[in-house]
Structures are given as structure tokens and as C-alpha cells.
Amino acid sequence: MSTGDLLHIHPTELKFPFELKKQSSCSMQLTNKSDKYVVFKVKTTNPKKYCVRPNTGVVMPGSTCRVTFTMQAQKEAPPDMQCKDKFLLQSVVAPDGTTTKDITSDMFIKEDGKVVEDFKLRVLYIPGNLPSPVAEESDEGCSPSRPSVFENGNQDTSLLDAVSRSLEEPKEKSFETWSVISRLTEEKTSALQQNQKLQHELELMRKQVSKKYAGGASLLVVFLVGLFGTLVGYIFK
């Protein structure tokens, strides 16, 4: 736990359950120990690898905000399971009534008379069969966002959000596509079965009609032959 003047941070190390090709998460709590509004910002040395929710926010006096860190699925494990990634949490006093929309990068610039607290967070990997220490996010201002870069400048990137969305959206689209294909396949099969049934019934009707006409023709021939025989017998009688 930290002993900063503005925010109480717990835990001070980010422990990610590590499993190859699986996304994992962990979280920390920020508690405002002061009687002022405090804004914070999270930066990382590897912004393409992590997603932070939220990466900026406002913590009101005496309140707590939960921040969730999500690590993208990794294709290979680092040597000795040692991670060199780091996070930097910056916090500064803000005017009363400040909201997340009011947060700017200039707030975290260290100037004369302004105190900006910096706290570095280590990243640790733990066995992946342990439960991920992430609780539900219900704090105000905790909306999905991305971490900034530190040690290499203060440039933000939206690539990670796009990657996260691409990991989720295809699954939903694949499920919807499969459902449509399955429904169309069932309808096609039903239509083929009905078509075969109709063809079978039509064939039976054709046979019945053929027999009916064939029987009628035979009776007509017998009648004509009988009539002809009667006439011949009458003439030569």
C-alpha cells in the first residue's frame, strides 16, 4: 500500500495470471485521502500490450475508484516469467466539481507551486490457474480507455482499443453469422423435403389418372366391339 498525500493505492504491484494465448486482468483501488478533488492518469512502457479502464479519472474526497488493467493474450512467455513492463500513476489536486471531461495533459505538467505525485507500479506474472483479482467496475468515471506512454513521451494511442474491439467483435459476429447460416440451412432442408413430398404426390396422381383413363378406354373398346357384333348378327340374320 502507498503512503501518498493524495491517493491511497492498493495493491502497489500488478499481478497478472499468466497463460499463453489467454487474456488476463487485475485491478487496484485508488482512495482519495484528501479533502480535495484529485485527478489521476495512468501511463505504461508498453501501451500496445495493455488496456486500462479508466486510464484517467476523478476521485472525489473520501471516495474510491477501481482501475482495471487488462493484458492482451501473449503468444510466448518471457524468460523466467519476469516482466519488465511498468506503469506510472500520476495524481494532482483539481478544482472542485472537476469531471473526467475536464482532464487535460497540462494538469500533470510539473510547474512551480504545483505538486504532481508519481507512483510506479511493477508488473508480476503469477500461475494462470489462480483466479484473476478483478472485481466489478461500478465506480463513476470508470469507462473503457487506453493507457498513455511514459519514458518515450506523452503520446496517447488508440491502437489498443481497436485490438480489444477486434478480439471481441469477431466472436459476436461469428455467432450471429453461424445462427443465420444454421437457420437458412434448416429452411433449405425443409423446402427440399416439401418439394420431394409434392413430387411424390404428383407422381401418384399421374399414375391414378393414367389408370383411370386406361380403364375407361378398355370399356369403350369392349362396348364398341359388342355393339359391332350385335349389328353384324342383325344384318346377316
Side-chain angles (χ1 to χ4, degrees), residues 73-125:
Q74 300 299 301
K75 296 182 179 179
E76 56 184 22
D80 301 325
M81 292 294 288
Q82 298 296 318
C83 182
K84 297 181 180 180
D85 300 331
K86 292 182 176 62
F87 285 84
L88 177 67
L89 175 68
Q90 293 184 302
S91 57
V92 64
V93 173
D96 291 349
T98 298
T99 66
T100 53
K101 296 181 180 180
D102 300 324
I103 299 176
T104 63
S105 300
D106 294 339
M107 291 182 173
F108 301 94
I109 296 177
K110 296 180 180 180
E111 300 174 339
D112 293 340
K114 183 169 66 173
V115 178
V116 179
E117 290 189 354
D118 293 340
F119 191 87
K120 291 185 178 181
L121 300 158
R122 292 177 56 201
V123 175
L124 301 177
Y125 293 151

Side-chain angles (χ1 to χ4, degrees), residues 148-192:
S148 304
V149 183
F150 76 92
E151 294 186 357
N152 291 322
N154 293 325
Q155 299 177 351
D156 292 336
T157 173
S158 60
L159 176 62
L160 198 54
D161 276 349
V163 172
S164 298
R165 288 193 297 270
S166 66
L167 291 174
E168 298 175 358
E169 292 177 357
K171 294 182 180 178
E172 298 177 356
K173 292 182 179 179
S174 297
F175 179 78
E176 294 176 357
T177 302
W178 176 253
S179 298
V180 173
I181 293 175
S182 178
R183 178 171 57 81
L184 293 176
T185 301
E186 292 178 357
E187 292 178 356
K188 180 181 178 181
T189 302
S190 178
L192 289 174

Side-chain angles (χ1 to χ4, degrees), residues 15-217:
K15 298 180 180 180
F16 290 91
F18 188 89
E19 288 187 67
L20 289 178
K21 300 180 181 180
K22 286 188 178 182
Q23 191 179 77
S24 64
S25 301
C26 65
S27 65
M28 71 176 180
Q29 285 187 339
L30 304 178
T31 302
N32 188 348
K33 302 191 298 182
S34 71
D35 58 354
K36 304 290 186 181
Y37 276 62
V38 175
V39 297
F40 69 89
K41 184 175 185 178
V42 180
K43 300 179 181 180
T44 181
T45 55
N46 198 341
K48 295 182 179 181
K49 185 177 178 181
Y50 301 95
C51 179
V52 182
R53 304 184 179 199
N55 76 320
T56 60
V58 180
V59 188
M60 293 182 290
S63 65
T64 299
C65 179
R66 184 179 299 275
V67 181
T68 300
F69 300 79
T70 301
M71 179 177 67
Q72 302 302 321
Q74 300 299 301
K75 296 182 179 179
E76 56 184 22
D80 301 325
M81 292 294 288
Q82 298 296 318
C83 182
K84 297 181 180 180
D85 300 331
K86 292 182 176 62
F87 285 84
L88 177 67
L89 175 68
Q90 293 184 302
S91 57
V92 64
V93 173
D96 291 349
T98 298
T99 66
T100 53
K101 296 181 180 180
D102 300 324
I103 299 176
T104 63
S105 300
D106 294 339
M107 291 182 173
F108 301 94
I109 296 177
K110 296 180 180 180
E111 300 174 339
D112 293 340
K114 183 169 66 173
V115 178
V116 179
E117 290 189 354
D118 293 340
F119 191 87
K120 291 185 178 181
L121 300 158
R122 292 177 56 201
V123 175
L124 301 177
Y125 293 151
I126 59 177
N129 57 349
L130 297 179
S132 178
V134 179
E136 295 182 356
E137 299 175 22
S138 59
D139 301 291
E140 182 181 357
C142 293
S143 57
S145 50
R146 49 183 165 69
S148 304
V149 183
F150 76 92
E151 294 186 357
N152 291 322
N154 293 325
Q155 299 177 351
D156 292 336
T157 173
S158 60
L159 176 62
L160 198 54
D161 276 349
V163 172
S164 298
R165 288 193 297 270
S166 66
L167 291 174
E168 298 175 358
E169 292 177 357
K171 294 182 180 178
E172 298 177 356
K173 292 182 179 179
S174 297
F175 179 78
E176 294 176 357
T177 302
W178 176 253
S179 298
V180 173
I181 293 175
S182 178
R183 178 171 57 81
L184 293 176
T185 301
E186 292 178 357
E187 292 178 356
K188 180 181 178 181
T189 302
S190 178
L192 289 174
Q193 291 176 349
Q194 291 180 359
N195 186 34
Q196 292 176 355
K197 183 178 179 181
L198 291 174
Q199 289 181 355
H200 180 68
E201 293 177 352
L202 181 60
E203 186 64 25
L204 290 176
M205 292 177 63
R206 286 177 178 174
K207 290 180 179 180
Q208 292 175 357
V209 171
S210 298
K211 289 181 180 180
K212 182 178 179 181
Y213 279 102

